[in-house]
Amino acid sequence: MDESTGTVLLNTAHSTYAFRVDRTAGAVRHVHWGLPIPLTDAVSLPLWSEHDNSFAGLLDGTEEYPVDGGARFAVPAFEVRFADGSSPVEAAVQNPVLLQDNHVVIPVEDRSRPLTWYLHYRVPADGDVVQRWVEFFHTGTEDDGDILLVRSASAHWPVPQRSHWRLSSVHGSWSAESRLHRSPLPVGETTLGSRRGHTGHHANPWIAVDPGDTGEEHGEVWLVALATSGSWRITAQRTAAGRVGILACEGHEAAELLLRPGQQHRTSVSLAQYTTGGFGTASRSIHRHLRTHVLPHPGELRPVLYNSWEATSFEVSEDNQIALARRAAALGAELFVLDDGWFRGRDDDRSGLGDWTSHPGKFPRGLRPLADEVHRLGMAFGLWVEPEMVNTDSDLYRAHPEWLLHVPGRTSTELRHQLVLDFSRREVTDWALQWLRRLVRENGVDFLKWDFNRSFTEAAARTGGPDARKVHLEHARGLYDLLDRLRTEFPQLRIETCAGGGGRVDPGILSRTDQVWTSDNTDAVDRLTIQHGFSQLYPANVMSAWVTDSPNPLTGRTVPMRFRFHGAMAGVLGIGGDLTRWTDAELTEAASLIRVYKEIRPVVQHGQQFRLLAPGEGPLTAVQYVHADQVAVLVWRPSTVFGPGQPPLRLRGLEAEALYRDEETGRQWHGRTLMGFGLPLPELPSGDYASALVRLRKTDSAGPDA
């Protein structure tokens, strides 16, 4: 930090993020975000200056945290309404404060109103990620009245000037999540987001921008993500003058928050990074950050899971679950999960949610005998729960209809025959903690599949008022608090986040859970596209993937077991089929493939991931993992294509002078050959839905002239 100019440099492993405090303008001005530069150069770099005229926003696109006030016409990061109805902010910036662990704080205050906010910047060790968030304080008295935070973004990220810009994101819907999409970034405002109360299937809270010529392993990428599990929006602004900035904000445009005198508000964290190594390097960098600084237990190997839903649906019983558990254990499963239908009143999806004790007709002895048998078989025991939801046909609803998220005086809209509980209220999360604590302790539960099967409607705080829609922010925070309390009490408990599949996935929920139910769509072909988009931000050790029956229960597609397994082996392997219908030959093949997965599991779950061939860009899809001295390559050919054979598959991330032995054939290759010429592919089975796994192990260094 250079005190004379107010210039601050944040250095990551491979980049520099620089800004300058401009006390005259009352702003923090962006200087540089890109390749590393020294502080001596940064203090001399000029600030962006737009042509001075009475129609220009002279600071637009150049500020670290633009407020709503003065000659600013772009979307502000911060918008407020004071008690007298006024809204413009006049900022006074103080000197930066350098804290420990590469943490910089910049105090800012309104020149005449009782409001102070602190801009936080932090660079976690050994990575390329910059974290940002903001804290707001109402510093006045009762005489000053309340302050309404209309917009309070986590960060505004200015990016450098380039001639062209392209935007990358994912879009989709239920059972079609994570479709990667790239398109030119137009002049104006491009906003992605969710008004649904959760991150959503239709988009995910991250975007990336590049100059238009970036590839998987080359070129510049600026990636921005938001660690929030409620409603959100990310806006990429491109001005006619050539400035681009990315605004990351929790909540949506109507999700306002009231600050009373003495109260404070802290935003969610936004994280961002820059690389010159293309989209693949950007992904691996974010994967490393999530594993190192976000996930609760990143060093663990996630177990092979069996889930009973597709076998028995709501028709669960102690006997049929024990029968499935015994078959799952014989295959090599390590975790047995009893899904929906196990609790009181739950015979279909119209009743029972909220009454979380075992169904007396299905489990007359309770759940403990099943749990004990699962543990005797050598597996962990898991349960499906949906704590944030309630059916109107439940004792909970009849006792506490006021616990709903709803607008007083309006009809509550049911979706999937259920309503949403208001987790912004402490009495509701206290109730949830009470029954979850009892459930886990009394039944020896090791794992929870935590579901969330509908979006918000009529969502407002029961008390109404100007910040009635704060639940779009506070519901997720109530969930976080509940998860924190539960995991503190039961440190051995592991949790999978689920929202009808991938409807609630973000770095915020991942700091409190262990894996993600990626999609309700288990079709092995569809999953190649879903998993490709998912991997842009999230690592394989959180990506739960099941092998289910064929024909697939959702799509009706018939796919060989080998192809289904190879698709699911690209993440955290699970089994979800009806094992009582599998033939002896299928059970034998499945057991063999599970044994193989356990051998490559450390490589897949803890290794670096390289997306070699993207789905839809040719006849083959391929992904590679590298961990220590092992390499795993998975290749899929969904449909037969007439024409010349596939050229060798050029691998990545190897040591050029090392030898790598194919563990199936014993053939050895130099690393530079595998990356230069490529790996000659094994002959795939004829017909559609062919796949292969290639395992390599580094054996020795061959020397430069070998």
Side-chain angles (χ1 to χ4, degrees), residues 332-388:
E334 300 157 318
L335 166 64
F336 180 88
V337 181
L338 170 60
D339 211 283
D340 198 354
W342 61 265
F343 48 96
R344 182 162 48 92
R346 192 64 164 176
D347 297 311
D348 52 36
D349 63 3
R350 296 175 179 270
S351 61
L353 281 176
D355 299 341
W356 298 100
T357 57
S358 59
H359 194 298
K362 301 175 181 181
F363 297 92
R365 300 190 297 162
L367 296 177
R368 190 70 199 214
L370 171 61
D372 287 345
E373 177 63 9
V374 167
H375 288 143
R376 188 193 69 78
L377 290 167
M379 297 184 292
F381 178 61
L383 278 178
W384 177 94
V385 293
E386 195 171 8
E388 298 154 83

Side-chain angles (χ1 to χ4, degrees), residues 99-115:
L99 303 178
Q100 294 180 343
D101 302 322
N102 280 332
H103 186 175
V104 176
V105 181
I106 303 175
V108 192
E109 63 184 11
D110 190 283
R111 294 183 186 274
S112 59
R113 302 302 179 97
L115 183 62

Side-chain angles (χ1 to χ4, degrees), residues 170-180 200-202 499-503 517-521 529-531:
V170 291
H171 64 88
S173 60
W174 172 76
S175 285
E177 302 92 333
S178 301
R179 265 58 178 165
L180 180 63
H201 304 79
H202 302 77
W517 179 226
T518 318
S519 177
D520 282 348
N521 186 348
T529 299
I530 293 170
Q531 294 175 182

Side-chain angles (χ1 to χ4, degrees), residues 142-358:
E142 294 295 332
D143 293 338
D144 295 304
D146 301 333
I147 298 174
L148 189 66
L149 298 183
V150 178
R151 182 194 304 265
S152 49
S154 298
H156 174 251
W157 301 91
V159 297
Q161 285 182 277
R162 297 292 185 268
S163 299
H164 302 282
W165 284 108
R166 179 173 57 174
L167 184 144
S168 297
S169 61
V170 291
H171 64 88
S173 60
W174 172 76
S175 285
E177 302 92 333
S178 301
R179 265 58 178 165
L180 180 63
H181 180 70
R182 293 195 169 110
S183 61
L185 179 65
V187 171
E189 301 163 13
T190 302
T191 297
L192 289 78
S194 168
R195 299 182 179 90
R196 303 167 187 268
H198 57 108
T199 53
H201 304 79
H202 302 77
N204 196 259
W206 68 267
I207 66 171
V209 294
D210 74 276
D213 57 355
T214 295
E216 182 67 17
E217 299 297 338
H218 72 274
E220 294 183 297
V221 179
W222 291 263
L223 187 150
V224 172
L226 190 59
T228 186
S229 304
S231 300
W232 60 275
R233 63 192 184 278
I234 297 179
T235 299
Q237 303 180 82
R238 183 177 182 182
T239 72
R243 294 297 307 183
V244 171
I246 301 169
L247 198 67
C249 188
E250 61 183 331
H252 58 81
E253 60 273 8
E256 301 172 341
L257 188 69
L258 199 68
L259 280 186
R260 294 181 170 86
Q263 289 186 335
Q264 66 184 72
H265 170 65
R266 174 174 171 163
T267 72
S268 296
V269 172
S270 178
L271 49 130
Q273 65 131 43
Y274 164 81
T275 182
T276 59
F279 300 113
T281 299
S283 295
R284 289 186 291 275
S285 178
I286 291 292
H287 295 174
R288 187 184 317 114
H289 173 80
L290 294 175
R291 286 170 170 154
T292 305
H293 299 287
V294 175
L295 291 173
H297 304 283
E300 292 182 354
L301 290 173
R302 303 308 304 148
V304 176
L305 169 155
Y306 177 79
N307 182 287
S308 65
W309 172 251
E310 293 193 2
T312 52
S313 185
F314 290 107
E315 303 299 320
V316 297
S317 69
E318 180 180 321
D319 289 343
N320 67 25
Q321 295 306 292
I322 286 177
L324 286 167
R326 289 171 178 168
R327 288 203 167 209
L331 287 181
E334 300 157 318
L335 166 64
F336 180 88
V337 181
L338 170 60
D339 211 283
D340 198 354
W342 61 265
F343 48 96
R344 182 162 48 92
R346 192 64 164 176
D347 297 311
D348 52 36
D349 63 3
R350 296 175 179 270
S351 61
L353 281 176
D355 299 341
W356 298 100
T357 57
S358 59

Side-chain angles (χ1 to χ4, degrees), residues 417-483:
H417 313 296
Q418 63 193 55
L419 299 167
V420 186
L421 296 171
D422 185 355
F423 265 40
S424 71
R425 299 174 61 177
R426 181 71 178 208
E427 66 266 36
V428 181
T429 55
D430 283 348
W431 160 83
L433 178 63
Q434 183 179 12
W435 68 259
L436 283 163
R437 177 191 291 132
R438 170 186 49 78
L439 188 70
V440 172
R441 182 182 294 116
E442 292 181 0
N443 298 289
V445 175
D446 306 294
F447 178 92
L448 293 175
K449 182 181 178 68
W450 191 296
D451 214 338
F452 183 95
N453 271 310
R454 58 152 293 175
S455 299
F456 287 5
T457 56
E458 298 89 34
R462 179 173 57 93
T463 55
D467 65 340
R469 296 177 67 84
K470 71 177 182 179
V471 293
H472 283 268
L473 304 175
E474 296 300 325
H475 181 99
R477 296 183 181 213
L479 169 66
Y480 289 172
D481 177 70
L482 172 59
L483 289 170

